[in-house]
């Protein structure tokens, strides 16, 4: 990573940090973002199991109060129970991705940009939760998605053209904290544009919309800004907000993706209402949120490997619920980059971003702006 | 889970919690009870390895003091060293189940009831420890047990008709705290009742007895009852009990199982003596303990899958050593339920229990009574 | 383990502890030193992946402040990217062994002695770090090493005849703490001594030298001796040493190994300069270090399995940077032992050591002397 400007931060210029990549901070060289193993298999025609631990989880408060890195923790652990032989209808039980948004569902190995967008990822940080989901995928859509994958297109995986689910909602690998559950509904549909004109045959546009509703119970902690102009204790915020209170979260999202053959386009947006810290009166209140991204990309095949240059712009104004006190974040970011698939199992992404984002990673909140250059080497096994 | 009565607990009515299922508490929806992977194999005719991590282990004191769920931790990791070609004699070295009791040795996937009984499980919470064990299983008993399994009967696995072992004794995945070891001896024998009458041919009755002895070193912490009538500091209990003291634990157990073809019956009981907290004088003292269970079950095959309705009654008065201060627990519980094997790899258990048990899960001790309805979906891979 | 003398330690005689085997302490019976699974594979002719989690990692500050054992944490996770078809040139990216020293690189399963030597292991405690490495191994050396392995000789694995690398340097699974990286260079070469005389044909002597340089950032904590004659707070040491200061570490090492056919000999030594605690003025200062070991061994084949009796002497005066405050350690140790390969996958090591070493495992520092008898059973899978 290379940074312009101050990295350590000061009273006038907080450190630039990103909730999306913990490697964006002071004093970093090599880091693992994820080390994952997948164990899966068809147990019968009607049962499929999938378990994915991650080996890049940090455990805090170890020897000398330091963190210890690279522990194994579950990401996914679910069973797909197929209700029909053609696998059009299925129940997914266990810990898995929550079907809200499109980039959220896309695996990191398929995603072109280094990070997911904050606006829609803030709906389900870490993308997964423990629950029960039902999906419907007609056979011809199963075929279309498989066909796109074979051509090297990066789909979001099969989460149905329609999906509904209930889940705990306190975020991945956190204890459930209330009796309420989250309800989610997901839709997406890929159209072959050949019906418009022969010249567009094979071009695929996927569009869809999602919604969810649930109750989230915040945690509390001290809140201060980097320049100490605001400094509130966690117990004050808790007392003001109401002890043991849940906050309703409701969101709707839309997405549209034109797969790059060779030119592609991708956009998502979401709007909603959720609890968020109002620093003026030191309490969590119901607040509106909105944000999304647009991305354009171009695929070049078989020129010393495959190349996908891309440009992405994102913005978000709203809550980041994973933090104590449910603080608000502001993000505006423009990035350009290129993914180079050196061979099937090895890819290098080089990326330049201009970021303007709230530093959420430590208790010294504040808006930080800066330029970040990152290189990421990723190897996959199949 | 559905509860009758107050779930949160109050001064007059403590929250109903079970040491056997941490999902029995306030504010719970979906939980993983266990997510386990087994890696095993015959390395040669004389060496067999078995490693089983669990991916549902909670790590405490993480971000904001919260717990983080679903870390990987070892359950089993052992080598079977066979001394003879027919595998009648073997040494088991490493972390494995301690051969005390019968239901303790039965895998969760084989057990009909959702929980093990407290009385005998209190002897070896989590069932496993690190040590050296020796087992003897005559060839004809190996055959009989395999034969029962093929018929869909739920055996306890092969822990010998005779077994002896030494192990650390501070419980699974805890550091050894003294120089003393636990010694255990195990016996069980399955009889084909055909020798009594031809009509009983094929019916199998398994009976046996176990014993162990060891020294356990307690940990200390503050102890209070839910109504604050008793409130003792951990340092007081430690000073009264003696610093760095070990407490002798000695138990004997008996078991009898009639495998359900179609009617079955199962009973175990144990008696012993161990250190336990006497709240009257705020110290740990040698105290007697006893308890067990009886269970009846009926197996119905091939009616939209297999069904096993069952009824189980258990009682226990004695120490629960896994908690700080080695407190006593009182349990009386009656449960009725049914296990439905939908297909080979997928089963659903539905269970209704009337529980009267000491809340051991937090520092507010007290007797709680209530009705619990639970449903558990379990998927297995082979 | 059997100990002579006081094990618990007293004002006059601190407890005997070893940084190399946490099982060498008071109140221990059975322990797991390592439980490791290896997942690896050639993804293509040019890409090889290797992931090795360890299931014997302790997590601290759990229930009641106690430690919980046997969590899964990454040891290795790397990709070998071969630059040529004959695999002579490769890049290793990820977490892997740092090529400094010879015994450091040898797997535990190949090492004869129970522990690595402190002198060279102190350069890279736990042997591994996160970084980028490049190796060169000529085809004929690849052949020679494979040939030695087939004959049952214990090589150090293939880390090139030449290797260079950059890595974080704060030790395995620790967060990087500064912007500086470590640089390492490694060389080794195996000679078939047949060129000297026909009678020496097949005898192999491997010699080499290594060097590294980097900046290490210490952690701080209270420091006291077992007899309380010295008792300094961590904040004092931090203030004296300079806040956020890095300390330069530079080392060179040499090694020579004659593989036992049947008589073998092995020696390594390293010298250097690093930050280390000066207790007289309570601050970390640049200090010189040196130490190494010599070992002789004899291989006896096919006499109820294979036997390798050995004798090893080691000494070290210098920093043990893994501890808070970068304290100095003094080690003098003589051990004799024998490794018995009962069968291919199972081996037993019996070992007697006279140790004189600084107790580094708790905050009560002091020199401890004693005799230790250990037996270790190891099973491997291939």
């Amino acid at each position: 990573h290379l940074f312009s400007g101050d990295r350590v931060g000061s009273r006038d210029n907080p450190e630039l940090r990103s909730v999306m990549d913990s490697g964006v901070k002071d004093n970093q060289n090599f880091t693992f973002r994820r080390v994952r193993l997948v164990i899966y298999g068809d147990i019968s025609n009607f049962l499929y199991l999938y378990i994915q631990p991650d080996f890049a989880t940090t455990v805090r408060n170890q020897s000398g109060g330091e963190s210890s890195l690279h522990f194994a923790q579950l990401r996914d652990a679910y069973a797909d129970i197929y209700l029909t032989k053609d696998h059009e209808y299925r129940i997914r039980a266990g810990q898995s991705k929550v079907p809200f948004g499109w980039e959220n569902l896309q695996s990191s190995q398929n995603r072109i940009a280094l990070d997911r967008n904050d606006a829609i990822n803030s709906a389900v940080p870490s993308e997964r939760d423990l629950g029960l989901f039902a999906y419907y995928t007609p056979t011809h859509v199963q075929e279309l998605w498989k066909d796109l994958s074979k051509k090297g297109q990066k789909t979001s995986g099969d989460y149905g053209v329609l999906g509904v689910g209930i889940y705990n909602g306190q975020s991945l690998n956190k204890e459930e904290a209330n009796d309420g559950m989250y309800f989610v509904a997901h839709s997406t549909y890929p159209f072959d544009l050949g019906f418009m004109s022969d010249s567009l045959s094979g071009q695929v546009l996927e569009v869809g919309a999602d919604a969810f509703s649930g109750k989230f119970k915040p945690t509390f902690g001290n809140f201060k800004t980097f320049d100490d102009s605001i400094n509130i204790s966690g117990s004050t915020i808790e007392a003001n907000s109401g002890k043991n209170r849940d906050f309703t979260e409701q969101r709707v999202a839309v997405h549209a993706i034109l797969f790059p053959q060779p030119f592609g386009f991708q956009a998502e947006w979401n709007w909603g209402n959720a609890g968020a810290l109002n620093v003026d009166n030191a309490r969590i209140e119901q607040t509106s949120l909105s944000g999304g991204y647009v991305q354009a990309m171009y695929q070049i095949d078989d020129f010393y490997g495959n190349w996908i240059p891309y440009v992405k712009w994102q913005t978000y104004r709203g809550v980041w619920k994973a933090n104590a006190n449910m603080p608000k974040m502001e993000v505006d970011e423009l990035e350009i980059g290129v993914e180079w698939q050196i061979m099937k199992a090895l890819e290098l992404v080089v990326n330049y971003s201009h970021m303007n984002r709230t530093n959420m990673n430590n208790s010294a909140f504040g808006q930080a702006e800066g330029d970040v250059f990152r290189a990421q080497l990723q190897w996959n096994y199949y």
Side-chain angles (χ1 to χ4, degrees), chain A:
Chain A
H1 304 147
L2 288 170
F3 290 78
S4 77
D6 286 280
R7 292 178 48 175
V8 177
S10 64
R11 278 181 65 95
D12 300 322
N13 192 0
E15 187 184 347
L16 180 61
R17 301 276 290 257
S18 168
V19 291
M20 289 293 150
D21 180 358
S22 61
V24 177
K25 61 179 234 189
D26 187 30
N27 291 332
Q28 276 298 5
N29 291 305
F30 299 108
T31 54
F32 280 136
R33 287 193 64 180
R34 43 182 81 78
V35 179
R36 298 190 181 166
L37 266 177
V38 179
I39 302 116
Y40 65 92
D42 286 306
I43 305 304
S44 74
N45 276 331
F46 294 99
L47 185 66
Y48 168 88
L49 298 185
Y50 184 97
I51 297 182
Q52 182 180 241
D54 182 58
F55 286 91
T57 308
T58 297
V59 171
R60 305 189 189 200
N61 297 317
Q62 296 306 297
S63 182
E66 280 190 289
S67 291
S68 185
L69 312 182
H70 304 151
F71 281 87
Q73 189 181 36
L74 270 189
R75 283 299 164 277
D76 301 276
Y78 60 78
D80 275 349
I81 304 160
Y82 295 107
L83 305 180
T84 54
K85 243 192 173 156
D86 54 13
H87 291 193
E88 289 200 338
Y89 295 90
R90 71 193 140 122
I91 304 285
R92 177 166 291 184
Q95 186 161 294
S96 74
K97 286 195 173 173
V98 172
F100 185 82
W102 193 88
E103 199 187 52
N104 269 6
L105 302 178
Q106 203 179 26
S107 71
S108 302
Q109 154 185 341
N110 266 348
R111 196 177 59 248
I112 301 170
L114 284 186
D115 304 319
R116 290 192 174 83
N117 72 95
D118 297 73
I120 291 157
N121 198 254
S122 67
V124 194
S126 303
E127 301 95 56
R128 294 160 178 89
D129 213 316
L130 194 50
L132 263 178
F133 305 89
Y135 294 109
Y136 164 63
T137 318
T139 310
H140 71 276
V141 175
Q142 293 180 31
E143 297 293 327
L144 179 58
W145 279 334
K146 270 180 215 158
D147 194 48
L148 283 171
S149 291
K150 257 181 237 154
K151 287 183 192 159
Q153 293 297 319
K154 294 162 177 291
T155 68
S156 74
D158 181 350
Y159 290 82
V161 299
L162 290 173
V164 294
I166 51 174
Y167 59 98
N168 284 342
Q170 283 301 118
S171 299
L172 181 66
N173 294 328
K174 295 266 177 87
E175 286 185 295
E176 173 62 316
N178 55 27
D179 291 326
M181 285 192 280
Y182 270 66
F183 296 80
V184 64
H186 171 69
S187 69
T188 197
Y189 200 88
F191 297 92
D192 187 315
L193 297 183
F195 77 93
M196 291 172 68
S197 118
D198 279 359
S199 66
L200 291 174
S201 179
Q203 294 284 341
V204 178
L205 177 73
E206 187 171 326
V207 295
D210 306 308
F212 77 63
S213 172
K215 279 172 181 303
F216 188 85
K217 188 169 175 184
T219 57
F220 296 96
N222 296 336
F223 179 94
K224 72 185 192 76
T225 52
F226 71 96
D227 60 0
D228 256 326
S229 63
I230 300 174
N231 195 332
I232 324 171
S233 78
S235 51
T236 301
I237 302 173
E238 186 168 11
N240 291 347
S241 306
K243 228 181 161 158
N244 284 318
R245 245 199 84 187
D246 296 321
F247 291 88
T248 299
E249 182 179 11
Q250 290 176 315
R251 297 193 188 215
V252 292
V254 294
H255 62 261
I257 293 91
L258 176 70
F259 289 94
Q261 306 182 94
F263 174 78
F265 176 85
Q266 187 175 327
E268 292 187 74
W269 218 263
N270 83 154
W271 302 265
N273 191 289
L277 178 63
N278 181 340
V279 292
D280 296 331
N281 57 12
R283 59 179 243 143
I284 301 177
E285 301 174 332
Q286 290 296 134
T287 315
S288 65
L289 60 90
S290 72
Y293 70 96
V294 291
Q295 174 181 312
M297 55 275 197
Y298 195 88
Q299 178 146 0
I300 302 157
D301 287 345
D302 301 321
F303 177 76
Y304 303 101
N306 299 339
W307 301 76
I308 311 178
Y310 70 95
V311 55
K312 183 181 187 178
W313 171 76
Q314 62 158 307
T315 184
Y316 179 53
R317 296 289 179 279
V319 67
W320 185 256
K321 66 185 169 188
N323 276 43
N325 310 313
M326 304 186 79
K328 283 183 217 167
M329 77 190 289
E330 279 187 42
V331 174
D332 292 293
E333 191 173 315
L334 181 69
E335 68 176 291
I336 58 170
V338 62
E339 177 184 306
W340 176 29
Q341 295 175 316
I342 305 164
M343 45 179 133
K344 197 170 168 352
L346 189 71
E347 64 186 45
L348 180 72
V349 177
V350 172
N351 160 302
Y352 174 87
S353 308
H354 182 80
M355 295 181 175
N356 185 342
R357 50 168 63 246
T358 313
N359 177 341
M360 314 292 287
N361 288 57
N362 51 29
S363 49
F365 282 76
Q367 206 64 15
E369 190 164 356
D371 297 295
V372 180
F373 176 81
R374 288 182 288 172
Q376 178 178 294
L377 187 67
Q378 180 165 337
W379 48 89
N380 306 308
Y381 51 95
Y382 295 89

